[in-house]
Amino acid sequence: MEQLTIVGKPVTRVDAEEKVTGEAVYGYDLVLPKMLYGKTVFSARPHAKITRINTEKARRYPGVVAVITGADAPWTHGESIKDKPFLAQGKVRYIGEPVAAVAAEDEDAAQAAAALVEVEYEDLPAYFSPEDACKPGAVAIHEDFAGYRKADFIVSGPMPNVCEHFKLRTGDVERGWKEADLVLAERYSVPTIQHAAMEPHSAHAQVDPESGRVTIWVANDAPFRALHEIAEALGVANEKIRLINPLQGGGFGSKGGLKVEPIAVALAYHTKGRPVRVKFNRQETFISTLVRHECIVEIKSGVKKDGTLVARQMALYWGGGAYAEKSPTVCIRGSLPAPGPYRIPHVKVDGYAVYTNKPVSGAFRGYGIPQGAWACEQHMDEIAKRLGMDAVDLRLKNIFVDGDLAYWGEQLHSVGLKETLIKATQAIEWGKKQPGARPTVKRGKGFACISKPTRTPTMSRAGVLVNGKGEISVLAGTVEIGQGCSTILSQVAAEELKVPLERIRMAPLDTDVIPFDASTTSSRSTYHMGNAVRRAAIDVREKLAEMACPMLEAKKPDLAFADGKVFLKDQPQMALPIGEVVRRKLGNEGIVRGDGSYTYEIGKDLDLETGHSDHASAFYMYATQAAEVEVDEETGRVRLLRMAAAHDVGMAINPLNCAGQIEGGLAMGIGSALHEHLVVDDQGRVRNPSFLDYHLATSLDVPKLIPIIVECAEPEGPYGAKGLGEPGLAPTPAAIGNAVADALGMRIYDLPLSPERVYWEIQQKKKKTAA
Amino acid sequence: MRRPEPLEIFQPASIREASAIVKEKGPGGRFLAGGTDLVIAMKEKGLSPKYVVDLKRVPNLSGICEEADGSLTIGALTTMREVETSPAVCKRFPFLAQSAAEVGSIQIRNRATIGGNMANATPSADVAPALLALEAGVKIAGAAGERTLNLGEFFRGPGQTAMLPEEILTAIVIPAAHPNLVGEYIKFSPREMMDLAYVGVAVALVLDGKKRCDAARIALGAVSPTPMRAPKAEAVIEKQILTEELAQRAGDEAARECKPISDVRSSAEYRRAMVGAMTKRALLNAAERPGPVAWTERRERRY
């Protein structure tokens, strides 16, 4: 392989300076000329018919330009089930659902007028857990479900309010139970949490009165998908919609699909061409945008005395909230690998995405993997304990290795899982026991393994432009959501064109100009867009080489590129800067463009009856994280002492950014393990919609972190790279859970591991022991 | 909700002037010190005062002064950060400095004032238990002159104090303390920082060479409508040799006499249990490792 000059190097992020100095402009910062201010009226009932809406007083408030309700916006949308209205249509399904909206000359007027909109309700039975909502006889939250437009893969039922039922059937679990020496059944749960991106949600929209064209300024993580979803909902051609994507201050999945966009668009149809901004504050972001699925996981395994897994059966109940959003695909892609990265001959999985009367659940960094892992990886430790086996040995006996046929029917390659397991557990000195500081303080160690698929098949396209000054613009639809894609893609372009990184610029993201990209989700960008940018850069390089042939009196195969120049391989002094090649051929203002596209070609689609697919994912990400904890039995407090995280990234295009992704993932995972829980009470109200009572981990809650990069190259990936965005938090709670169980000699099945929960579990155990 | 109308703000140059404004404008106004509670309440919690009287131009309201009689005066507008870093406080009452260091973040402590915090009368205020354990008093000034109250009489309920609307808290006075006084403040909250106290426990003890407890003050935060003393727990250890068993008994007693509520943060039962555990820990810490140490080390001692 040719020598790499910048790919693989720990270069500083290209956007670091503008962000740390506060210069960067995010979607939330945007101010447009003649802009109006939008404010939303939210449902005050979890499930109710709207019997009357009176907007008279709001309309008369000084400065108000428009007040709209569902009657003014008769559109619905949804990624795979078109069930979600822009504004409530005759009924509401959760507290926080947008019911009406106001546009006014200033924010205060909009706020005051919104408070004057009167809504009357007639309550319906409401369900606040997936288990209650799918009980026989439960009232349908979507009575018109059968009539909704849906994607082909949607399988609903058999219970009430189940909008997706995923089935995986491999072998025969009944036979498995008979062959097993030990059968263990357990139940785990994960609560609702929120993304809590630093930047809350906002969108700006404008409708051109003459052409009817809609322009939306929004930090959406999938601009082309959002554009299509809006066009489809409005019943207009995609060309009628333009999305301009400013910088995004974090999203973690919450800024895909449509959140604030429908409200802004609906208002913009009533403002006579003036742009309107809808900006959610933190509380509105908590109650009305998106949350992560709460999940109840039933898991049962059959295992031989020597630790060989024989059978595993799982049922996962995903609390979808009031609308389907991405619940069907979270259910599919979270349930499919939930039995863990292990060879198991007999597997049966049922995943149910269930409507509830709670805030809408959807994509969240990890896409269903953390919920399954919380159950599966603790369950593995319980099996090890009952067999009297070391937990690492149990994993080694069963984990995926190259060439294994996974239980969903795919032959695996480039599996770096074993290396991550060994390195992560070594880093916390697995096997070495240490006592706590006091008799009432117990120490423990634990770890967890995961594999994570990526959304497949998807497409990325890119363009690379070279001008007469030798400056390069990269046109890519990947959104800089803080993950570092602008640095990674700049490195790829700089590598292929052999120019310094400073010469690369990422073009602003405008769907009128930028080539198509599926989404900035699912840890897919380095792999898919990396390949597309690489191909585009190679395309433009070939064009430059062709143009340089007559100038250097050479044939193309004799030319090479380095240091921003093209030169003759055997006479390096015969060289031309690439900008000069462009100038000589096309004049001073000339531009040469290269294009690239990448789509992962799949074999068969997922089989709806068995869940099988020979290529369920373009690549798999493997990871093991390990934790050492101290638990204070007098208070229940869990203190993390250190955490190691070994991630198979295929190839680290930027090791510094990889370490950052791992550390950021850990910090987020630690919050979800120890603190985070968006509490919804028995009236459907969110009780802690602020950072005062919704506890993210602070820097002081994060212990010494040991990021470990494992490189098991993916042949199809750019330079061997896979992805890394999501797995950083996926095994974290399970690793900490296992460490807590090791410390206490008892297991806790529900998240978060808050001091109060741990304390009462310890008290209960003491009572049982005494009795 | 943001205000539709502009807000009237006054910036008096004296206490007398400030009181006069309140007398004239009538009820519904608020005093502004650091603003770390008031501004958030206005921006995010729908508080809409009729007017605001900013006290920051009133002279001599901030600063820490060691008086000739051995007492310590802390001006109402002294920031939490000043209390936390004051050499006089760190030397004499390190656990008070500790309690101030537990408030919010450094940025917040650079603005938040000790007087504003007391006047707000939040049950979970971190410095309140430490001040109660030191038997601090408050100086209150109004149009009619100045009066002094014990901090224990000052708090009346959540957000309620013994002050009249036109009265202003001007200083906190910590009486001269016994040279052998040692103390400890433990804030118990799930998160390491940037959190409210779920339970706060301050203890101040006067111990002789044999750990006999000549005087004991135990004060609790976040477990009753106001920060409170725990006299029954104090009685358990007074005139006794402080042992682990005795500290446990005092903790049990404090757990019995506190009056916590259940909310989204914690159940009352858990708060009660933590009062017991933290009181015991605070007593043992105060007795065993007295003297000033770095606050980061002091924090470690809670675990």
Side-chain angles (χ1 to χ4, degrees):
Chain A
M1 196 170 163
E2 117 189 73
Q3 189 69 33
L4 295 172
T5 56
I6 186 146
V7 160
K9 303 287 188 293
V11 298
T12 304
R13 288 175 59 133
V14 296
D15 55 348
E17 198 177 319
E18 63 164 348
K19 286 185 172 168
V20 298
T21 56
E23 293 295 313
V25 175
Y26 294 91
Y28 212 65
D29 302 324
L30 270 194
V31 174
L32 298 172
K34 294 188 178 174
M35 177 175 87
L36 292 168
Y37 296 79
K39 195 74 198 170
T40 311
V41 179
F42 299 98
S43 163
R45 294 287 205 282
H47 194 197
K49 281 185 192 154
I50 298 172
T51 52
R52 184 172 154 270
I53 304 184
N54 186 352
T55 58
E56 262 319 297
K57 283 182 200 158
R59 279 176 207 282
R60 285 204 303 268
Y61 195 87
V64 169
V65 173
V67 183
I68 60 167
T69 68
D72 306 297
W75 307 300
T76 56
H77 70 94
E79 187 183 71
S80 51
I81 300 174
K82 311 286 171 195
D83 62 355
K84 194 167 195 288
F86 278 38
L87 293 169
Q89 298 288 332
K91 73 176 276 190
V92 292
R93 296 179 173 90
Y94 71 104
I95 293 178
E97 174 160 6
V99 170
V102 176
E105 295 290 345
D106 62 65
E107 209 155 348
D108 291 339
Q111 170 98 52
L116 295 175
V117 173
E118 296 161 352
V119 188
E120 287 171 21
Y121 300 100
E122 187 183 308
D123 287 325
L124 296 165
Y127 304 101
F128 306 118
S129 84
E131 278 184 320
D132 286 347
C134 73
K135 271 192 187 133
V139 166
I141 293 169
H142 289 265
E143 51 286 316
D144 301 329
F145 184 81
Y148 291 152
R149 290 167 294 150
K150 303 180 191 76
D152 296 339
F153 58 82
I154 296 293
V155 180
S156 58
M159 299 94 84
N161 291 313
V162 172
C163 64
E164 169 65 17
H165 176 198
F166 167 78
K167 284 183 282 193
L168 183 77
R169 302 288 184 262
T170 301
D172 174 8
V173 287
E174 296 305 327
R175 213 180 97 198
W177 310 140
K178 283 180 201 133
E179 288 170 7
D181 297 315
L182 168 76
V183 175
L184 177 68
E186 294 179 306
R187 184 181 188 275
Y188 290 85
S189 82
V190 177
T192 301
I193 65 170
Q194 199 183 44
H195 314 69
M198 210 185 287
E199 178 201 33
H201 287 62
S202 67
H204 298 62
Q206 182 172 27
V207 179
D208 183 79
E210 275 153 41
S211 65
R213 196 157 195 252
V214 184
T215 304
I216 304 156
W217 293 259
V218 62
N220 191 295
D221 70 25
F224 292 92
R225 182 163 64 188
L227 181 156
H228 179 71
E229 201 171 321
I230 292 166
E232 207 184 25
L234 298 176
V236 301
N238 281 9
E239 299 80 59
K240 287 284 184 191
I241 313 288
R242 175 186 181 193
L243 236 97
I244 297 170
N245 226 68
L247 283 178
Q248 191 182 110
F252 311 107
S254 71
K255 289 174 183 161
L258 305 181
K259 303 289 165 303
V260 188
E261 297 87 341
I263 306 166
V265 169
L267 279 172
Y269 275 105
H270 297 267
T271 57
K272 300 192 173 69
R274 290 176 70 180
V276 58
R277 168 169 96 185
V278 178
K279 199 165 153 175
F280 278 6
N281 60 27
R282 181 59 63 187
Q283 184 179 342
E284 292 166 343
T285 296
F286 265 116
I287 66 164
S288 188
T289 61
L290 199 72
V291 298
R292 190 175 84 174
H293 289 81
E294 59 183 318
C295 194
I296 294 154
V297 187
E298 292 165 0
I299 182 166
K300 178 179 173 184
S301 300
V303 57
K304 294 271 195 196
K305 269 188 202 132
D306 68 354
T308 307
L309 289 170
V310 183
R312 178 159 289 165
Q313 182 172 348
M314 294 179 81
L316 300 99
Y317 299 86
W318 305 89
Y323 293 96
E325 230 274 342
K326 291 193 179 73
S327 280
T329 48
V330 169
C331 175
I332 294 168
R333 280 187 283 164
S335 302
L336 181 138
Y342 307 108
R343 291 182 298 273
I344 317 173
H346 305 291
V347 180
K348 183 180 179 191
V349 178
D350 289 277
Y352 304 97
V354 189
Y355 284 126
T356 61
N357 295 109
K358 290 169 76 169
V360 181
S361 305
F364 188 113
R365 189 182 196 179
Y367 221 75
I369 302 300
Q371 290 96 324
W374 167 249
C376 173
E377 286 303 288
Q378 294 208 87
H379 183 69
M380 288 296 281
D381 268 34
E382 278 301 308
I383 291 171
K385 191 175 158 189
R386 280 168 167 77
L387 293 175
M389 225 176 144
D390 182 273
V392 172
D393 293 339
L394 177 69
R395 302 310 198 287
L396 286 173
K397 187 117 203 155
N398 297 286
I399 52 170
F400 286 155
V401 294
D402 267 16
D404 276 349
L405 187 68
Y407 45 81
W408 58 87
E410 176 170 355
Q411 187 123 38
L412 302 172
H413 66 271
S414 311
V415 184
L417 183 58
K418 189 172 169 182
E419 193 180 337
T420 68
L421 171 60
I422 289 164
K423 287 190 168 161
T425 48
Q426 268 174 0
I428 63 151
E429 299 168 280
W430 179 255
K432 198 172 145 193
K433 295 269 177 203
Q434 268 174 295
R438 291 191 303 275
T440 51
V441 173
K442 302 285 197 277
R443 270 198 187 201
K445 291 176 184 176
F447 68 92
C449 307
I450 56 118
S451 75
K452 163 122 201 9
T454 187
R455 190 182 162 213
T456 303
T458 60
M459 177 193 264
S460 289
R461 291 175 179 275
V464 173
L465 313 182
V466 182
N467 70 13
K469 296 193 187 83
E471 294 161 338
I472 289 122
S473 294
V474 175
L475 278 58
T478 299
V479 183
E480 179 58 78
I481 56 176
Q483 83 281 44
C485 69
S486 39
T487 307
I488 302 300
L489 299 175
S490 295
Q491 282 180 269
V492 170
E495 184 67 54
E496 294 305 331
L497 289 163
K498 304 293 178 202
V499 297
L501 196 61
E502 303 77 58
R503 294 263 200 99
I504 312 284
R505 287 180 200 141
M506 300 303 295
L509 215 172
D510 178 338
T511 56
D512 273 5
V513 183
I514 298 291
F516 176 86
D517 176 50
S519 60
T520 305
T521 63
S522 209
S523 315
R524 64 177 290 282
S525 298
T526 296
Y527 177 96
H528 291 86
M529 189 57 85
N531 271 330
V533 168
R534 189 182 190 190
R535 287 176 181 187
I538 291 169
D539 186 38
V540 80
R541 191 182 71 202
E542 291 299 306
K543 285 179 183 167
L544 289 169
E546 227 158 79
M547 286 158 60
C549 284
M551 300 173 200
L552 290 168
E553 295 174 0
K555 291 199 177 90
K556 237 170 86 177
D558 302 329
L559 295 177
F561 288 75
D563 302 325
K565 296 186 186 101
V566 53
F567 60 93
L568 284 176
K569 278 177 191 163
D570 47 8
Q571 281 175 275
Q573 74 279 11
M574 292 291 288
L576 281 174
I578 56 172
E580 196 177 330
V581 173
V582 177
R583 285 202 306 274
R584 280 204 204 172
K585 175 83 178 175
L586 300 168
N588 279 351
E589 307 307 327
I591 286 180
V592 185
R593 174 175 176 135
D595 289 287
S597 172
Y598 182 82
T599 310
Y600 180 80
E601 301 296 340
I602 57 158
K604 279 176 289 185
D605 268 351
L606 194 94
D607 182 276
L608 296 183
E609 282 309 310
T610 63
H612 283 220
S613 167
D614 56 359
H615 286 91
S617 176
F619 58 89
Y620 289 87
M621 293 162 275
Y622 300 99
T624 304
Q625 295 185 349
E628 184 176 15
V629 304
E630 220 171 56
V631 188
D632 184 340
E633 290 187 317
E634 287 181 315
T635 63
R637 177 191 281 276
V638 176
R639 278 191 96 190
L640 291 168
L641 301 175
R642 55 179 162 172
M643 280 205 79
H647 287 256
D648 172 13
V649 302
M651 191 271 182
I653 288 180
N654 185 337
L656 195 62
N657 205 57
C658 286
Q661 276 282 13
I662 294 170
E663 289 174 359
L666 280 165
M668 203 168 181
I670 287 167
S672 70
L674 300 183
H675 305 296
E676 291 179 54
H677 179 194
L678 195 70
V679 180
V680 176
D681 68 15
D682 59 5
Q683 306 294 309
R685 291 173 299 215
V686 175
R687 292 286 309 279
N688 54 344
S690 81
F691 287 149
L692 181 65
D693 288 320
Y694 184 87
H695 283 166
L696 301 165
T698 68
S699 53
L700 286 178
D701 297 291
V702 175
K704 179 183 164 57
L705 303 178
I706 311 160
I708 300 163
I709 293 169
V710 169
E711 295 180 307
C712 186
E714 166 60 49
E716 274 271 306
Y719 318 97
K722 298 175 181 171
L724 181 60
E726 296 169 287
L729 54 62
T732 317
I736 294 170
N738 280 334
V740 169
D742 181 47
L744 295 176
M746 58 178 272
R747 188 160 300 280
I748 296 171
Y749 293 87
D750 309 301
L751 279 173
L753 299 167
S754 61
E756 178 157 7
R757 182 189 305 281
V758 175
Y759 176 81
W760 292 123
E761 295 270 356
I762 293 167
Q763 295 304 309
Q764 219 167 4
K765 189 197 168 195
K766 272 188 189 161
K767 258 189 221 159
K768 271 189 203 157
T769 318
Chain B
M1 181 168 147
R2 292 259 306 271
R3 303 176 55 86
E5 298 107 39
L7 176 67
E8 209 175 1
I9 299 177
F10 298 92
Q11 296 194 308
S14 71
I15 293 290
R16 188 179 295 273
E17 197 188 329
S19 286
I21 291 166
V22 176
K23 273 246 148 153
E24 188 204 316
K25 301 293 293 184
R30 292 294 287 255
F31 290 116
L32 171 70
T36 52
D37 284 316
L38 181 65
V39 175
I40 291 167
M42 288 171 63
K43 278 192 165 175
E44 292 184 6
K45 294 177 190 165
L47 181 76
S48 196
K50 266 177 64 189
Y51 59 96
V52 166
V53 181
D54 180 3
L55 298 174
K56 287 196 288 297
R57 299 216 174 155
V58 177
N60 306 321
L61 278 184
S62 94
I64 297 167
C65 182
E66 296 188 79
E67 310 289 350
D69 66 354
S71 67
L72 193 72
T73 305
I74 304 176
L77 259 54
T78 308
T79 66
M80 290 294 184
R81 185 69 173 160
E82 285 168 327
V83 175
E84 166 194 350
T85 55
S86 150
V89 175
C90 289
K91 184 168 146 272
R92 296 172 62 173
F93 312 117
F95 67 101
L96 174 61
Q98 170 73 27
S99 72
E102 295 286 0
V103 176
S105 62
I106 289 177
Q107 289 90 331
I108 290 169
R109 298 199 293 278
N110 276 332
R111 291 215 55 93
T113 67
I114 192 165
N117 195 220
M118 293 305 98
N120 236 356
T122 309
S124 62
D126 285 301
V127 297
L131 289 173
L132 281 175
L134 288 167
E135 303 197 294
V138 287
K139 277 191 187 168
I140 297 165
E146 201 171 68
R147 62 185 178 129
T148 303
L149 278 178
N150 283 331
L151 195 57
E153 305 164 332
F154 175 76
F155 296 124
R156 290 287 165 87
Q160 288 170 338
T161 69
M163 287 192 292
L164 298 170
E166 70 273 18
E167 283 185 316
I168 295 160
L169 175 68
T170 58
I172 286 147
V173 183
I174 301 170
H178 191 283
N180 287 353
L181 182 125
V182 291
E184 181 83 348
Y185 175 70
I186 298 183
K187 172 181 190 157
F188 185 80
S189 52
R191 208 157 58 171
E192 294 281 340
M193 195 108 241
M194 300 294 290
D195 208 347
L196 294 179
Y198 283 34
V199 166
V201 178
V203 301
L205 309 173
V206 177
L207 296 175
D208 71 10
K210 290 175 185 148
K211 283 198 185 172
R212 208 181 89 100
C213 192
D214 288 333
R217 302 289 173 258
I218 299 173
L220 310 173
V223 288
S224 68
T226 64
M228 64 176 274
R229 283 270 292 271
K232 288 180 186 160
E234 290 169 0
V236 170
I237 48 175
E238 262 176 1
K239 313 295 171 208
Q240 304 290 317
I241 306 275
L242 189 66
T243 61
E244 187 167 344
E245 192 265 329
L246 195 73
Q248 175 76 57
R249 270 176 49 210
D252 293 345
E253 198 55 55
R256 270 192 289 276
E257 63 187 310
C258 69
K259 299 180 270 304
I261 55 161
S262 291
D263 60 16
V264 71
R265 288 172 203 145
S266 166
S267 70
E269 295 74 24
Y270 183 64
R271 282 199 168 99
R272 213 178 268 284
M274 290 309 101
V275 164
M278 292 303 117
T279 301
K280 172 188 164 192
R281 211 166 278 185
L283 288 168
L284 294 174
N285 284 352
E288 274 183 28
R289 287 169 290 177
V293 285
W295 77 268
T296 44
E297 284 171 48
R298 297 192 71 92
R299 291 190 96 238
E300 277 299 302
R301 309 207 310 188
R302 80 173 88 172
Y303 299 116

